[in-house]
Amino acid sequence: MKTLKVGDKLPNFECINENEEIINSNDFIGKKLIVFFYPRANTPGCTAEACNLSENYQKLTDLGYQIIGVSCDKPKSQKNFSTKFGFPYPLLADVDQKVVKLFGVWGTKKMYGREYEGIYRMTFIFESDGILERVIDKVNTKDHTNQILNG
């Protein structure tokens, strides 16, 4: 699967969020956007990453960024995750894997000697013109905001 590269345009997508509202990529036209992909809601690494972004949400929005998180969890799981930690940004429930495949973050993973299909933990940062400025493929879940801000 081909992952988006710097210079690529924000893919056109539509997906429901944790509240089962439709989120469309066109909603972010003219806005800087951080899209972070995580394997599964309420797991330690995913919680650390999402909470780090939440704790620094004001700092990121002051710089003009919108944030969305994406996993293949069902809306109910995303809702529970968001409610439990009070996330101020939407979590997309990409149950049919359309968004993860558009971004190229779905594929074979290995853990404990077994292979399985899943989401690669990655973050994409788009400028307000919809052009991909940066890709973070080695996410530091506990200090992700600094990775975003300090390149």
Side-chain angles (χ1 to χ4, degrees):
M1 183 162 296
K2 184 180 177 212
T3 302
L4 292 182
K5 304 282 184 238
V6 171
D8 286 347
K9 191 145 182 65
L10 176 66
N12 191 11
F13 65 84
E14 188 173 275
C15 189
I16 58 172
N17 68 6
E18 74 278 12
N19 297 315
E20 299 192 38
E21 302 163 331
I22 295 172
I23 302 290
N24 190 300
S25 56
N26 292 332
D27 299 339
F28 303 99
I29 292 174
K31 300 172 185 172
K32 296 191 316 185
L33 179 63
I34 298 166
V35 183
F36 73 100
F37 290 88
Y38 58 97
R40 188 164 184 131
N42 274 311
T43 56
C46 298
T47 298
E49 179 182 11
C51 286
N52 179 264
L53 293 171
S54 181
E55 290 161 6
N56 293 283
Y57 181 75
Q58 191 62 53
K59 186 186 300 185
L60 293 165
T61 57
D62 286 349
L63 293 170
Y65 288 105
Q66 301 282 315
I67 302 170
I68 56 176
V70 184
S71 78
C72 294
D73 292 302
K74 293 179 181 175
K76 183 177 180 181
S77 295
Q78 297 288 51
K79 179 70 172 175
N80 291 341
F81 188 39
S82 182
T83 300
K84 181 177 181 179
F85 294 101
F87 298 138
Y89 48 78
L91 300 177
L92 302 188
D94 190 23
V95 293
D96 57 8
Q97 304 161 357
K98 288 181 181 176
V99 178
V100 296
K101 289 179 178 174
L102 278 173
F103 279 75
V105 298
W106 180 266
T108 302
K109 298 171 72 171
K110 292 182 181 181
M111 188 179 350
Y112 306 121
R114 92 178 197 357
E115 287 188 2
Y116 62 97
E117 295 290 305
I119 296 177
Y120 303 131
R121 184 186 308 278
M122 296 179 74
T123 297
F124 298 83
I125 304 167
F126 293 89
E127 283 297 322
S128 58
D129 60 3
I131 301 299
L132 183 56
E133 173 193 348
R134 247 176 63 222
V135 178
I136 301 172
D137 60 358
K138 292 182 179 17
V139 172
N140 178 342
T141 58
K142 294 178 181 170
D143 199 27
H144 196 37
T145 300
N146 281 328
Q147 275 187 301
I148 292 167
L149 297 177
N150 300 319

